[in-house]
Amino acid sequence: MATTTASMQENLSSARGQNSVNIGLANFWVALVFMTVAVILGVYQVAERSGFFPALESPTLYFASVSTHGVLMGFVLTTFFIMGFGYYAATTSLKMPIPGKGFAWFGFWLALIGTLIAAVPLLTGNASVLYTMYPPLAAHPAFYIGATMLVVGSWFWCIEMIWMMAKWKKAHPGEAVPLVHFGNTANAIMWLWTTIGVGSEALFQLIPWSLGILETIDVGLARTLFSWTLHAIVYFWLFPAYITLYTIMPKVIGGKLFSDEMGRIAFIMLLVFSVPIGFHHLYMDPFQEAGWKFVHMFGTFMVALPTLFTGFTVIASMEIAGRLRGGKGLFGWIGALPWKEPVMSAAGLSMLLLTFGGFGGMINASYSLNTMVHNTQWVTGHFHLIFGGTTVIMYFAAAYHMLPRMIGRKLHSASMAVTQLWLWFIGMLVLTLPWHAIGLLGQPRRISSAPYDDPLVEQWNIHEASMIVGGVILFISSCMLLWNLYKTHSASPEEQAMEYAEPIHPAPRVPHLLNSFAFWNVVIAIYLIASYGYPIAQFFLNQTFGATTWGV
Amino acid sequence: MHIDQTEKKWIWVTIFMTVIMVGVLTAYAVGSNIHPPSGFEPIDSTRLHLSEEFAEDNLGYKDNGDGTGTLTMVGARYGFYPSTVEVPVDTPIKIRVASADVLHGLHVPFTNYTTMVVPGYVAEVNTTFQKTGDYTVMCNEYCGLGHDHMWSRLKVVEKTGS
Ligand code: HEM
Ligand SMILES: [Cu+2]
Ligand SMILES: [Cu+2]
């Protein structure tokens, strides 16, 4: 009897992922606290740029703020959240501890210290170059060094994920790696490929140039290298959202995953197609030939496929749960879903935002339509919708689901969580729909005021006003999120195992290609050389002229 | 390996949709010869004033005499130069732009005149303005604290009888 309780306890503790609780919590809290800071900056930004509050006007403050906001949202929230999510999901799905724990913690501290180092020039206005850090505007070297440390820190996580997958496979020969870890490892491998671009830009161009070792910088080469990272980074952000939709959501709502294999296929396609297509960010740039832009456009449309597959699998999984819960008729199952569950609400809202955002994305991706929207506020509206909306709302869902399980307590308030998610959804729409419109009305991106002598400016005002309302709603929502999770730490104890959805057709064994990344890495390497080889080489084969250093 | 029948159908639908979209885009780009500004043409941005083409006196619109025109502009913090330019409507124009300092972006709302202006490289846009009127040339890539103030005027006017 004693032994059974002991072994039950052990099972429970490994299902709760004891071994990854601290590192998971540390990553989650860093992510969420920095996110809240960035949301406050966001509200200030929409207010400042509207021009309604003359006392706020200050380009110096504004651009320091946007630079900080962009870095915190794009690099800090995401990297830490993804690491925490990956560690906790890995230990709970593979039922094994994190190997080389010190190694994992080292990566965490490297990333955190890097963030703090970068924060100093950001907050003092010495790195107001925005999160894209396009040269030849130069920031203080501490900014580039800090940002590089953050990225290098994330590589430790990548290695851990790959290591855990290898270890697990060795212990379970021939068995299919659980989908959740297959996804996290796909993301880790993708991120390693992705960061080669910005990593080379930082190491060979930005850092030596900002330190004065290099006198000039080739902006064309820098932008080409940055584009290598710029598309795949959004899939790095999106992966945990998809993983949650495939592996956690169906379980929570009492259903099954529609197809395990399709999940694997989608993850592999995201891995293969995300990196070699970055030129859709360079459509409007000279220095690359039209033919290359065309090639990248084909790849860009290919990467829409895994998202369309995901949409199908996720909605089909919801339908199964709805019918199991007694929902009838063509749409009756929707009402039968447990909307009071945070994960369910988040998933539904996220899919809706994805539908809007995906439509906009097709326009951005179009070789010719892009002309209409490039670098207008349409673009910022678009990525707030799909990144700040679709993606981040699933981060919230994952946090609501995982954090209580990590600490063995009940979520402080599920209904508050659902309200928070709805507020986020509404806030995002109120913020981003006018944001798209203002872009179509010609407003350029990244401005702190609108001093143009043009009747268009008057048409912008109404949208600016709506954006402020959206920002305030989002701020309230983010406060509710933090409060709820904070109170969860002192909520009543409740042991809940971390469980993942079973597919309808169990897939204990899957084809080798769907259970290993070796072959796919070769494919990516070839694809990358084909799509980026010459476009990068041309800068070395021809004489080019670097730009000197410019302050903001 | 198990893939559901309905899902298989969906896969075909998505592939079909993608092929149609890419096909339409390709046909349109190739058929109407519409391409974004492209081409590898290095230039020394620190010596623009010494170059023939982008020297201050040579900026602006020139009639090529064959029913087409050429517009040459420079972007520099914080303006596009010449700061007012007049171009004829319904005339194919080759626009060439260079940056004298940092990265800028140029767009003129409600036209197809858009390009990044990258130090070290010449940008070339081929377009035809279809409606007369006053347009604003705006910088759409952050280029420093004065980025908002970087704009100039483009006037599209009736063709002068030739
Ligand atoms: C209260 C909510 C938010 C508001 C009001 C807000 C507002 C803004 C504003 C005004 C900009 C400047 C855009 C420009 O002129 O180019 C901006 C930039 C940015 N935002 Fe947000 N934002 C919010 C939430 C978020 C969220 C949740 C994310 C992602 C998780 C996000 C990611 C970014 C990024 C990456 C940039 C940098 C864009 C750039 O440098 O061009 N924001 N935001
Ligand atoms: Cu992209
Ligand atoms: Cu500019």
Side-chain angles (χ1 to χ4, degrees):
Chain A
M1 192 62 206
T3 43
T4 19
T5 356
S7 83
M8 265 171 66
Q9 212 115 47
E10 197 170 282
N11 267 343
L12 197 63
S13 90
S14 79
R16 242 180 68 191
Q18 279 311 4
N19 177 268
S20 63
V21 165
N22 289 340
I23 199 162
L25 282 176
N27 276 294
F28 274 9
W29 276 109
V30 169
L32 295 173
V33 167
F34 278 119
M35 185 197 85
T36 310
V37 173
V39 167
I40 296 169
L41 296 176
V43 176
Y44 154 75
Q45 286 156 205
V46 273
E48 201 274 0
R49 62 196 293 292
S50 70
F52 301 157
F53 311 96
L56 284 182
E57 299 287 299
S58 158
T60 316
L61 266 186
Y62 181 84
F63 288 115
S65 172
V66 181
S67 302
T68 311
H69 172 88
V71 168
L72 288 181
M73 292 299 199
F75 301 149
V76 179
L77 156 68
T78 48
T79 306
F80 284 98
F81 183 85
I82 292 165
M83 295 198 295
F85 178 88
Y87 283 133
Y88 190 63
T91 51
T92 49
S93 63
L94 305 180
K95 309 248 186 310
M96 64 186 254
I98 299 173
K101 202 99 186 274
F103 184 82
W105 276 108
F106 184 81
F108 168 81
W109 283 109
L110 192 63
L112 185 58
I113 294 169
T115 304
L116 297 175
I117 290 177
V120 176
L122 277 169
L123 294 174
T124 51
N126 291 306
S128 296
V129 294
L130 304 191
Y131 87 124
T132 41
M133 50 186 109
Y134 293 137
L137 286 184
H140 190 281
F143 172 67
Y144 303 114
I145 293 170
T148 305
M149 285 168 68
L150 170 61
V151 172
V152 174
S154 72
W155 289 347
F156 286 75
W157 172 83
C158 295
I159 292 167
E160 284 284 359
M161 292 296 110
I162 297 168
W163 189 359
M164 287 181 82
M165 174 158 156
K167 252 186 114 168
W168 189 91
K169 276 177 80 171
K170 215 169 196 174
H172 302 80
E175 287 178 44
V177 177
L179 184 61
V180 56
H181 192 68
F182 188 79
N184 275 317
T185 310
N187 200 18
I189 294 174
M190 189 190 76
W191 185 235
L192 289 173
W193 283 107
T194 303
T195 45
I196 292 175
V198 75
S200 327
E201 187 198 0
L203 287 181
F204 301 119
Q205 294 194 285
L206 294 174
I207 293 178
W209 165 74
S210 69
L211 290 170
I213 300 168
L214 292 179
E215 244 165 61
T216 61
I217 188 162
D218 187 330
V219 180
L221 174 60
R223 283 177 67 73
T224 304
L225 290 174
F226 196 71
S227 82
W228 173 303
T229 300
L230 199 50
H231 188 73
I233 195 174
V234 308
Y235 283 100
F236 174 59
W237 303 337
L238 192 58
F239 248 106
Y242 280 10
I243 295 173
T244 306
L245 287 169
Y246 275 105
T247 66
I248 298 178
M249 183 276 293
K251 180 81 197 175
V252 172
I253 65 176
K256 295 206 164 207
L257 171 62
F258 189 73
S259 168
D260 179 277
E261 282 100 334
M262 280 311 290
R264 287 166 201 271
I265 292 173
F267 292 158
I268 288 171
M269 288 182 77
L270 288 173
L271 166 63
V272 172
F273 283 109
S274 290
V275 196
I277 61 174
F279 276 22
H280 60 235
H281 294 271
L282 297 183
Y283 283 152
M284 290 302 140
D285 277 56
F287 71 72
Q288 293 297 353
E289 299 291 344
W292 291 110
K293 298 180 181 175
F294 228 86
V295 170
H296 284 237
M297 179 188 74
F298 288 121
T300 304
F301 276 87
M302 288 303 292
V303 85
L305 291 176
T307 290
L308 291 166
F309 299 168
T310 300
F312 184 91
T313 309
V314 168
I315 294 170
S317 306
M318 287 180 182
E319 180 175 348
I320 294 169
R323 297 205 186 281
L324 283 174
R325 301 167 78 83
K328 299 221 158 37
L330 196 52
F331 294 111
W333 57 270
I334 298 178
L337 289 169
W339 291 96
K340 292 209 168 82
E341 284 286 346
V343 174
M344 178 61 226
S345 289
L349 299 175
S350 174
M351 295 308 283
L352 271 174
L353 293 169
L354 180 64
T355 313
F356 294 123
F359 174 76
M362 294 287 178
I363 293 179
N364 304 342
S366 300
Y367 181 77
S368 40
L369 285 179
N370 179 269
T371 309
M372 205 166 60
V373 295
H374 173 79
N375 264 7
T376 64
Q377 291 292 354
W378 163 285
V379 173
T380 27
H382 166 74
F383 74 69
H384 277 80
L385 179 61
I386 204 139
F387 171 30
T390 311
T391 307
V392 170
I393 216 168
M394 288 312 297
Y395 286 13
F396 298 164
Y400 283 136
H401 189 72
M402 287 179 161
L403 192 131
R405 285 170 170 73
M406 287 175 177
I407 57 179
R409 289 176 193 274
K410 224 173 132 65
L411 180 63
H412 171 64
S413 163
S415 67
M416 189 202 255
V418 171
T419 314
Q420 184 266 327
L421 294 164
W422 274 94
L423 274 183
W424 192 265
F425 171 77
I426 294 166
M428 263 304 156
L429 290 181
V430 175
L431 177 72
T432 60
L433 295 181
W435 210 339
H436 282 78
I438 219 171
L440 291 179
L441 288 170
Q443 187 178 99
R445 183 174 178 181
R446 302 180 149 174
I447 52 170
S448 77
S449 62
Y452 314 104
D453 165 23
D454 191 307
L456 272 178
V457 174
E458 270 158 47
Q459 297 182 43
W460 295 346
N461 285 339
I462 171 89
H463 301 291
E464 304 266 12
S466 161
M467 286 170 65
I468 297 177
V469 175
V472 172
I473 298 175
L474 289 165
F475 170 68
I476 296 170
S477 170
S478 65
C479 293
M480 289 168 69
L481 170 83
L482 271 200
W483 176 249
N484 206 348
L485 291 177
Y486 172 73
K487 291 296 276 183
T488 299
H489 279 268
S490 52
S492 51
E494 184 185 57
E495 292 293 338
Q496 304 174 75
M498 184 69 209
E499 291 171 334
Y500 297 93
E502 296 287 330
I504 308 180
H505 301 278
R509 279 164 204 274
V510 292
H512 177 67
L513 283 180
L514 297 186
N515 203 31
S516 154
F517 294 108
F519 172 77
W520 300 113
N521 278 321
V522 177
V523 174
I524 299 170
I526 295 171
Y527 191 175
L528 271 170
I529 292 170
S531 65
Y532 267 100
Y534 182 76
I536 290 176
Q538 67 172 0
F539 293 102
F540 299 96
L541 300 173
N542 296 289
Q543 193 197 4
T544 59
F545 303 91
T548 49
T549 311
W550 296 81
V552 300
Chain B
M1 186 77 182
H2 175 95
I3 295 182
D4 186 84
Q5 278 308 317
T6 335
E7 183 135 40
K8 274 191 189 139
K9 281 185 203 141
W10 172 246
I11 293 173
W12 283 113
V13 170
T14 57
I15 293 176
F16 179 74
M17 280 184 341
T18 310
V19 169
I20 296 275
M21 274 189 278
V22 173
V24 168
L25 285 165
T26 309
Y28 185 63
V30 175
S32 326
N33 197 24
I34 293 192
H35 298 285
S38 305
F40 184 79
E41 194 185 334
I43 188 171
D44 188 348
S45 276
T46 56
R47 299 163 69 87
L48 280 189
H49 54 291
L50 302 177
S51 74
E52 173 94 18
E53 186 177 11
F54 293 98
E56 207 171 334
D57 295 342
N58 295 335
L59 300 181
Y61 180 75
K62 279 184 211 75
D63 193 329
N64 293 344
D66 58 357
T68 68
T70 307
L71 171 62
T72 314
M73 291 179 78
V74 164
R77 297 206 292 190
Y78 290 104
F80 292 102
Y81 305 97
S83 47
T84 302
V85 359
E86 246 184 50
V87 298
V89 72
D90 291 333
T91 308
I93 302 178
K94 176 197 277 192
I95 307 175
R96 295 183 42 92
V97 197
S99 164
D101 45 36
V102 300
L103 179 69
H104 301 281
L106 180 160
H107 90 258
V108 182
F110 303 105
T111 74
N112 285 334
Y113 182 14
T114 310
T115 182
M116 296 303 290
V117 185
V118 184
Y121 300 90
V122 178
E124 187 175 304
V125 182
N126 288 286
T127 191
T128 302
F129 296 99
Q130 292 170 344
K131 271 198 202 127
T132 57
D134 282 4
Y135 294 85
T136 311
V137 184
M138 300 176 178
C139 181
N140 66 16
E141 184 55 86
Y142 176 67
C143 52
L145 297 181
H147 167 53
D148 324 348
H149 297 273
M150 182 158 173
W151 60 276
S152 71
R153 182 66 73 223
L154 177 83
K155 290 174 187 285
V156 179
V157 297
E158 292 297 343
K159 282 198 244 196
T160 44
S162 46

